[in-house]
């Protein structure tokens, strides 16, 4: 039987209350959202928090809405809600691509976007998704809010910019015209973590790639931002040849390790193919030409 | 700590350790061992129960997190000797052999039909993809869910 080590449990009734508890309890305290990454780690004693602060009652952290030129997603929004949201699918279809293949529908009833990002596991699909669309994380502490770009949010494996006494409250994505996006993943079987995954977002203006975001999941210690590929693509007219070149950069710039999901050369191959496919599909969507 | 959780419409109150998982809270309640406990790693789906009508893996939820929510287990399906159509479907279509996965499959399928009374085979397969069955090859489980959907549609027409 797998049982977590003992801890104290409390239920937050407000964001302010959760933050106050985090500050009072210090480094031994941890937030529990869906619990679908944290509880498995606690059962294996890889995580041994002394206090759990349950934020599941904080309905005010569960929403997807358009606010001015941004789309805001509350940290407690569950996978199932991201999957079903028409608003999100219209602006950023890569969320639905990803949600269809994140774990299984039963797990998706519990897991949250906040938990996925704060877990900072390179295989979390939403980390690559949020990097590609250039999302920003809203972190709140007793002193107020700060907003951090995805490139600064994930500091290392299982480490984020969320400090002691702080929590993630919202994910914000800038809304820009001419956009298209896609997420591609290869897994061993239904419901499994990625062997490799690629997220891409493009913004097309006057037949050229005005801006682009590409990120890889599961092929390095953290989510990989493909900045060299982005530089190559920016300002050019989209073409399959160009996307294949970006794929070659993906294969070179990732750093997978060999494990039960496959050897290194296979993962590099996937990084290349999936990057090319994601860019191609994102562009077709931006141009409303998706097959 | 003290918790009081609604299980199958009845309030179950007990002193527990905060680390107790929902699956054990349920199974340690008299007459509620129908919920199975399999992989313990959120993969097999044998432990699926409904929380406020949604299927969830009870090995990956703390009992303490369930206070204030409605939990339904496989025992709630049969009422006064009358099987739920989903149970009848499993019987009619031979959708179990050893039966270990069955409680989770039933609660997952029941939630699917409550949300989507006429699912396609693909929708059924997707819905139950969080459950592992080592015996049936899934084919008869899909047929059973279809059977229940058709039975319920016919029953509705008669009314
Ligand atoms: C069988 C299985 C398969 C899975 N497959 C996939 C997959 O293919 N792809 C994928 O992307 N994911 C997968 N997951 C993970 C799933 O997406 C989880 O739901 C998700 O990783 C974590 O979300 P959570 O809400 O459950 O977080 P929790 O487990 O509650 O928390 C995770 C971490 O984040 C912290 N945290 C949570 N919310 C906040 C917040 N608001 N502020 C600060 N810290 C916070 C917690 O303290 C903890 O450290 C799988 C999980 C399981 C069990
Ligand atoms: S025992 Fe819960 S999923 Fe296997
Ligand atoms: S009937 Fe044996 S595992 Fe499904």
């Amino acid at each position: 039987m797998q049982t977590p080590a003992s801890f104290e449990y409390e239920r937050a009734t407000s964001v302010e209350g959760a933050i106050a508890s985090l500050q009072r309890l210090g480094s031994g305290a941890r937030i529990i959202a869906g619990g679908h990454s944290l509880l498995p780690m606690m059962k294996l004693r890889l995580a041994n928090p002394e206090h759990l602060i349950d934020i599941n009652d904080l309905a005010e952290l569960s929403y997807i809405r358009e606010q001015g030129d941004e789309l805001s997603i509350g940290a407690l929004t569950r996978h199932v809600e991201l999957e079903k949201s028409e608003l999100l699918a219209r602006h950023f279809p890569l969320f639905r691509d990803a949600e269809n293949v994140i774990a299984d529908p039963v797990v998706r009833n519990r897991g949250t976007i906040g938990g996925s990002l704060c877990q900072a596991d390179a295989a979390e699909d939403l980390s690559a998704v949020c990097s590609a669309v250039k999302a920003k994380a809203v972190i709140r502490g007793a002193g107020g809010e700060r907003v951090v770009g995805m490139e600064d949010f994930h500091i290392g494996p299982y480490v984020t910019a969320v400090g002691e006494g702080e929590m993630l409250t919202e994910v914000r994505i800038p809304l820009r015209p001419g956009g298209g996006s896609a997420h591609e993943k290869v897994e061993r079987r239904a419901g499994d973590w990625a062997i490799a995954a690629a997220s891409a977002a493009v913004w097309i203006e006057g037949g050229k790639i005005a801006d682009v975001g590409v990120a890889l999941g599961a092929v390095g210690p953290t989510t990989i931002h493909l900045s060299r590929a982005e530089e190559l693509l920016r300002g050019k007219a989209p073409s399959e040849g160009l996307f294949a070149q970006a794929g070659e950069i993906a294969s070179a710039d990732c750093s997978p390790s060999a494990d039960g999901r496959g050897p290194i050369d296979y993962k590099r191959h996937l990084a290349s193919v999936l990057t090319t496919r994601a860019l191609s599909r994102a562009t077709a969507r931006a141009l409303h030409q998706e097959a | 700590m003290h918790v009081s959780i609604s299980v199958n419409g009845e309030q179950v109150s007990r002193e527990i350790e905060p680390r107790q998982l929902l699956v054990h809270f349920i199974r340690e309640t008299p007459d509620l061992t129908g919920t199975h406990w399999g992989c313990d790693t959120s993969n097999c789906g044998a432990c699926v129960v409904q929380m406020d009508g949604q299927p969830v893996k009870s090995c990956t939820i703390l009992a303490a997190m369930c206070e204030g929510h409605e939990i339904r287990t496989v025992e709630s399906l049969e009422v006064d000797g009358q099987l739920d159509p989903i149970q009848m479907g499993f019987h009619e279509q031979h959708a179990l052999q050893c039966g270990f996965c069955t409680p989770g499959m039933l609660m997952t399928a029941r939630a699917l039909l409550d949300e989507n009374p006429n699912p396609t085979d693909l929708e059924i397969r997707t819905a139950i993809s969080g459950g592992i069955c080592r015996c049936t090859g899934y084919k008869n489980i899909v047929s059973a869910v279809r059977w229940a959907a058709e039975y319920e549609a016919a029953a509705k027409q008669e009314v």
Side-chain angles (χ1 to χ4, degrees):
Chain A
M1 175 153 92
Q2 292 184 1
T3 303
S6 295
F7 54 82
E8 301 286 326
Y9 169 90
E10 71 177 64
R11 239 191 237 205
T13 52
S14 68
V15 173
E16 293 69 31
I19 291 167
S21 294
L22 285 170
Q23 294 205 309
R24 179 168 44 85
L25 299 167
S27 62
R30 203 109 168 223
I31 281 177
I32 184 162
H36 274 56
S37 286
L38 184 55
L39 286 173
M41 284 183 55
M42 288 170 61
K43 286 177 172 187
L44 296 170
R45 309 279 170 118
L46 294 171
N48 298 294
E50 290 156 28
H51 294 268
L52 279 189
I53 299 162
D54 180 356
I55 60 167
N56 282 281
D57 284 353
L58 305 185
E60 67 266 37
L61 288 183
S62 175
Y63 55 85
I64 303 170
R65 59 185 173 229
E66 224 173 308
Q67 273 172 328
D69 54 1
E70 284 180 327
L71 198 79
S72 311
I73 306 175
L76 196 65
T77 309
R78 300 193 195 272
H79 291 302
V80 61
E81 290 150 349
L82 299 169
E83 178 183 351
K84 294 200 170 146
S85 165
E86 292 303 330
L87 178 66
L88 196 54
R90 194 164 70 241
H91 288 295
F92 300 104
L94 85 173
F95 272 93
R96 190 169 283 172
D97 295 343
E99 288 298 350
N100 281 328
V101 291
I102 289 176
D104 58 65
V106 182
V107 169
R108 296 202 290 268
N109 282 337
R110 293 299 293 166
T112 65
I113 186 169
S116 296
L117 297 181
C118 291
Q119 181 66 15
D121 179 325
E124 295 278 353
D125 289 278
L126 291 184
S127 295
V129 163
C130 287
S131 295
V133 297
K134 302 181 190 292
K136 288 174 279 184
V138 181
I139 300 172
R140 203 188 296 177
E145 260 178 23
R146 58 200 178 95
V147 181
V148 176
M150 270 301 131
E151 60 287 1
D152 300 318
F153 184 78
H154 287 128
I155 292 173
Y158 310 106
V159 185
T160 69
V162 180
E164 219 178 285
E166 291 185 320
M167 67 184 284
L168 176 69
T169 54
E170 187 176 89
V171 177
R172 287 184 194 154
I173 315 172
L175 288 168
R176 293 186 274 167
S181 62
H183 181 78
E184 298 277 347
K185 169 177 175 178
V186 170
E187 52 194 354
R188 292 178 301 183
R189 56 174 166 80
D192 197 18
W193 298 87
I195 302 172
S199 286
V202 297
W203 290 269
I204 310 271
E205 266 173 41
K208 297 252 169 66
I209 300 173
D211 199 8
V212 55
V214 195
L216 301 174
V219 286
T222 56
T223 305
I224 293 181
H225 306 257
L226 285 179
S227 42
R228 279 209 309 141
E230 293 176 11
E231 273 163 42
L232 167 83
L233 295 160
R234 218 170 273 126
K236 301 222 175 68
S239 74
E240 285 305 314
L242 187 66
F243 297 155
Q245 273 178 278
E248 280 167 31
I249 295 177
S251 163
D253 287 5
C254 64
S255 52
S257 45
D259 57 19
R261 290 189 172 78
I264 289 172
D265 55 348
Y266 174 54
K267 292 186 182 183
R268 283 195 191 277
H269 169 73
L270 284 182
S272 162
V273 172
L274 296 180
T275 297
T276 307
R277 277 189 204 159
L279 279 165
S280 179
R281 197 140 66 102
T283 305
R285 284 173 172 169
L287 299 172
H288 307 288
Q289 289 170 350
E290 194 181 11
Chain B
M1 65 182 290
H2 187 81
V3 291
S4 180
I5 302 173
S6 164
V7 185
N8 302 332
E10 280 182 38
Q11 214 56 36
V12 181
S13 306
R14 204 183 298 150
E15 259 330 292
I16 60 162
E17 278 194 81
R19 61 178 169 166
Q20 185 167 59
L21 299 163
L22 177 61
V23 65
H24 301 304
F25 180 89
I26 293 170
R27 287 178 54 84
E28 287 171 16
T29 306
D31 297 325
L32 290 184
T33 50
T35 301
H36 286 170
W37 167 50
C39 68
D40 220 354
T41 59
S42 344
N43 279 287
C44 75
C47 67
V48 169
V49 299
Q50 291 181 8
M51 182 176 188
D52 304 328
Q54 278 191 323
V56 297
K57 293 182 175 175
S58 63
C59 71
T60 314
I61 297 188
L62 299 170
M65 295 167 84
C66 298
E67 199 165 63
H69 297 275
E70 297 282 330
I71 303 300
R72 274 188 77 196
T73 69
V74 68
E75 286 87 352
S76 70
L77 291 176
E78 171 249 298
V79 180
D80 297 333
Q82 178 62 45
L83 294 184
D84 187 279
I86 194 72
Q87 292 171 304
M88 293 162 67
F90 269 62
H91 183 201
E92 289 296 325
Q93 299 296 309
H94 308 288
L96 61 136
Q97 289 173 31
C98 79
F100 197 81
C101 69
T102 311
M105 288 290 179
L106 288 171
M107 296 314 283
T108 307
R110 184 64 265 164
L112 169 69
L113 293 182
D114 289 341
E115 194 190 330
N116 177 2
N118 187 22
T120 63
D121 281 5
L122 182 64
E123 285 169 338
I124 297 170
R125 283 184 181 274
T126 303
I128 62 167
S129 65
I132 294 174
C133 177
R134 288 279 97 128
C135 302
T136 64
Y138 306 99
K139 193 168 180 301
N140 288 4
I141 298 179
V142 176
S143 309
V145 182
R146 265 259 61 77
W147 188 98
E150 283 162 20
Y151 177 92
E152 288 182 343
K156 228 186 228 156
Q157 282 211 317
E158 275 171 29
V159 181

